[in-house]
Amino acid sequence: SFIKNLIHSRFDQVMVNNINELAKNLQMETVAEFVENQETANKLTEMGIHYAQGYHFHQPSELAEFNSHRLTNHLVKHCEKYNVRRVD
């Protein structure tokens, strides 16, 4: 994955940037997977990636729990805490 080593790999940064630019030109939104820390989340925001997912935001959970009100509230609070938002 280009995301796992994004902070330390210039090659991965160039690849993610180019994939993001291609998506923009095709009027598509981008999702980064494997975001494991705030530093990577910040870099992706800086690069203009629309969405992110990974252990940094939440560990995988059963679908029943995901659909619960408790988890929804947790995710909203977590996104607010780390200033995670959709980038237009």
Side-chain angles (χ1 to χ4, degrees):
S1 162
F2 300 119
I3 304 304
K4 284 185 176 181
N5 297 314
L6 184 69
I7 299 304
H8 305 289
S9 170
R10 179 71 182 138
F11 177 83
D12 289 349
Q13 292 173 18
V14 170
M15 288 299 293
V16 170
N17 187 59
N18 286 328
I19 292 167
N20 190 45
E21 286 300 315
L22 176 63
K24 283 182 186 177
N25 288 328
L26 295 173
Q27 298 179 331
M28 298 173 73
E29 296 181 326
T30 50
V31 178
E33 298 178 326
F34 302 109
V35 179
E36 297 182 357
N37 58 59
Q38 186 62 45
E39 187 177 16
T40 301
N42 291 343
K43 183 69 172 174
L44 291 166
T45 299
E46 187 181 296
M47 295 174 83
I49 302 299
H50 295 99
Y51 302 97
Q53 64 185 43
Y55 286 165
H56 176 65
F57 301 106
H58 197 273
Q59 297 287 323
S61 59
E62 293 183 20
L63 189 55
E65 181 185 351
F66 180 77
N67 290 328
S68 75
H69 180 70
R70 183 174 61 85
L71 181 58
T72 301
N73 285 339
H74 169 77
L75 293 175
V76 168
K77 288 177 186 174
H78 196 76
C79 289
E80 290 170 353
K81 177 180 176 183
Y82 290 105
N83 197 26
V84 175
R85 65 195 186 302
R86 182 172 174 221
V87 179
D88 290 321

